[in-house]
Amino acid sequence: MLQPTATPGFTSRSACPVCAGTDTHRIYTARYDEDPVRALVQSNFGRQGVIDWSLLAGVPFEVDKCATCDLLFQVQTPNDAMLEVIYTQMISPGFLDEYERGLLTLDEFHRIAGEFTVLFERIGKHPADITMLDFGVGQGRWARVARGMGATVYVTEIGDDKKQLARTLGLEVIEDEDVDRMTFDLVHTEQVLEHLVHPGRDFARLARAVAAGGLFKAAIPYRGKLEQLLKSKGLPTEAMFASGGAKAIPGEVEAFASIQPLEHLNAFSEKTIDWLAAHNGLRKVSEVRRRSISVQTGDAQGLVRGAKKVGIELVKAAMKPKIGYHVLERA
Ligand SMILES: [Zn+2]
C-alpha cells in the first residue's frame, strides 16, 4: 500500500482521468475557503467529523468536462495524506459505524439479497462456485450478504479497522495490487468509482479482472443535469442529507451529490460508462437495479405488502429509473 505523503494537500488533474483526453474545458470555478463551497463542506462534514480549514485555505475548486468521454471531474484531487485526513478525521469512524449500523435492516438485507439473486442467476453458477470482488468494501453491507448466500468474496479496503471487520465477516481481504493477478465472476463496485483519483486506470484494472462470462457492476451517483445546474446555479450551500424534504427539487439534489467536494471527484454520464465499457471489452446488459422480491406468507397483510413490492419493481424495470446503475458483461 502507498505510504501517505507527509503533508496533506492537493494535486491537479490536467488531462481527463478516464480517457486521458486533453480536449477538456472548465465549467465551474470556485474556492474551498469561500461560499458556496465552504458552506457546503461545513454542511457535509460538520456533523460527520472535524474540519481542519487550514488544509483548504486558498485551494481552488474547479470542475472540467471532457469532450471525448463526457466525464465531469474535479481538477484538484486530495493526495494520499489528505485522503487519510478526509476518511479518518472529517468522516469519523464513530459516525460511520453508527450510520452503517442504521442501514443493516431486514428490508435492506432483502433488497441486497434480491439484487445478488438476479446477478448470480445471470452468472449461472452454483452460488458456492461464484467468486466476487467487492472493490472498496467499506463496512461490508453488500459483501456480507453475498458471503451469506455462498459466494467467495474477496475485498479491498483502505485502513486496518475495515480490513479487520471484513475478516470477522468471513471475507477474503486482499491487497489492491492482488486484483491485477486474479479474475472474478462478479466485480462489484457500489458507490466507489466516483471517489477514485484515477478512475480510468482503475476501471481498466477491474474490467481485466472480470472472468469470461462474468459481470462488472458499477453503481454510481446519478449525474442527471449536473452540468446545466453548475453553470446556471453553481454549487448549493447544503449537503444532500441536510436539504431534502419539501425544499428539494426532484433530481437536483442527487445531481449535485454526484460532484461532492473532496469525495465525489468524478461524475459519470451514461456516455462515459459506454466509453469505458467499449474500451475495456465489456458490453452493457442492464441499467436497472433488478431484484427478486421476498414475500411474507404468515398473513394476508404480508402478502399484500409483497404484491405492492412486486408492482413497484415492475414499474421501475419498465421505466428505467434515473439512477447510476450499470451491469456490464465480458463476452
Ligand atoms: Zn475523457
Side-chain angles (χ1 to χ4, degrees):
M1 210 173 88
L2 291 174
Q3 290 301 313
T5 46
T7 314
F10 292 80
T11 53
S12 288
R13 303 190 288 190
S14 51
C16 170
V18 159
C19 73
T22 50
D23 186 4
T24 61
H25 63 277
R26 191 133 305 160
I27 63 164
Y28 186 66
T29 304
R31 290 167 58 107
Y32 270 99
D33 54 9
E34 292 174 358
D35 290 349
V37 185
R38 185 185 167 91
L40 180 57
V41 167
Q42 177 64 44
S43 165
N44 188 34
F45 294 100
R47 68 163 212 167
Q48 300 189 62
V50 178
I51 305 168
D52 179 353
W53 285 105
S54 72
L55 297 174
L56 301 174
V59 179
F61 177 90
E62 294 164 334
V63 179
D64 278 6
K65 181 184 182 183
C66 174
T68 308
C69 73
D70 203 44
L71 182 76
L72 300 182
F73 60 97
Q74 293 185 38
V75 175
Q76 289 74 23
T77 56
N79 65 17
D80 288 341
M82 188 68 202
L83 287 171
E84 177 102 9
V85 170
I86 294 166
Y87 291 107
T88 62
Q89 295 173 33
M90 295 180 71
I91 304 170
S92 76
F95 174 87
L96 201 57
D97 284 348
E98 201 169 315
Y99 174 79
E100 283 289 331
R101 190 178 184 283
L103 290 170
L104 293 179
T105 60
L106 288 172
D107 264 353
E108 194 70 0
F109 169 82
H110 282 294
R111 287 160 58 86
I112 292 171
E115 186 183 328
F116 278 133
T117 299
V118 173
L119 295 173
F120 286 5
E121 276 177 351
R122 177 146 193 130
I123 290 166
K125 290 185 178 179
H126 188 287
D129 294 330
I130 289 177
T131 57
M132 167 173 147
L133 169 65
D134 196 19
F135 186 71
V137 64
Q139 313 277 91
R141 195 182 345 147
W142 292 79
R144 69 177 79 205
V145 179
R147 177 71 197 116
M149 292 168 74
T152 303
V153 183
Y154 298 86
V155 304
T156 64
E157 190 48 82
I158 301 166
D160 291 335
D161 287 357
K162 285 183 191 145
K163 287 181 181 176
Q164 186 51 39
L165 170 66
R167 288 189 193 98
T168 68
L169 293 170
L171 308 172
E172 310 290 330
V173 178
I174 60 174
E175 295 304 319
D176 183 73
E177 59 265 28
D178 295 333
V179 170
D180 298 325
R181 295 188 289 271
M182 301 174 74
T183 58
F184 309 90
D185 298 309
L186 173 61
V187 170
H188 184 266
T189 61
E190 180 67 47
Q191 315 303 324
V192 169
L193 301 180
E194 66 274 20
H195 294 264
L196 301 176
V197 175
H198 305 288
R201 181 197 72 186
D202 289 335
F203 189 99
R205 294 176 58 225
L206 293 170
R208 199 245 13 116
V210 178
L215 300 176
F216 185 154
K217 169 188 154 182
I220 46 182
Y222 182 68
R223 179 169 116 187
K225 296 188 187 311
L226 175 65
E227 183 181 359
Q228 295 91 315
L229 287 167
L230 277 180
K231 285 175 176 170
S232 62
K233 297 187 168 190
L235 278 183
T237 52
E238 280 194 334
M240 182 161 68
F241 65 81
S243 44
K247 273 163 65 185
I249 300 164
E252 210 168 275
V253 178
E254 292 89 339
F256 280 126
S258 70
I259 201 89
Q260 192 78 13
L262 301 175
E263 287 184 280
H264 295 173
L265 309 175
N266 321 295
F268 306 82
S269 68
E270 275 186 45
K271 195 180 159 194
T272 315
I273 297 295
D274 289 345
W275 189 97
L276 280 164
H279 285 76
N280 288 284
L282 301 173
R283 70 181 187 93
K284 194 175 282 186
V285 293
S286 179
E287 290 178 334
V288 177
R289 200 188 281 270
R290 297 181 199 281
R291 54 173 67 97
S292 67
I293 304 289
S294 63
V295 178
Q296 283 188 37
T297 57
D299 55 29
Q301 282 179 334
L303 290 172
V304 168
R305 280 198 303 273
K308 274 188 192 161
K309 282 198 281 186
V310 171
I312 290 167
E313 293 299 322
L314 285 174
V315 169
K316 277 193 206 164
M319 287 178 60
K320 192 179 155 193
K322 292 180 170 166
I323 58 168
Y325 185 83
H326 309 269
V327 179
L328 311 170
E329 187 174 53
R330 180 172 295 292

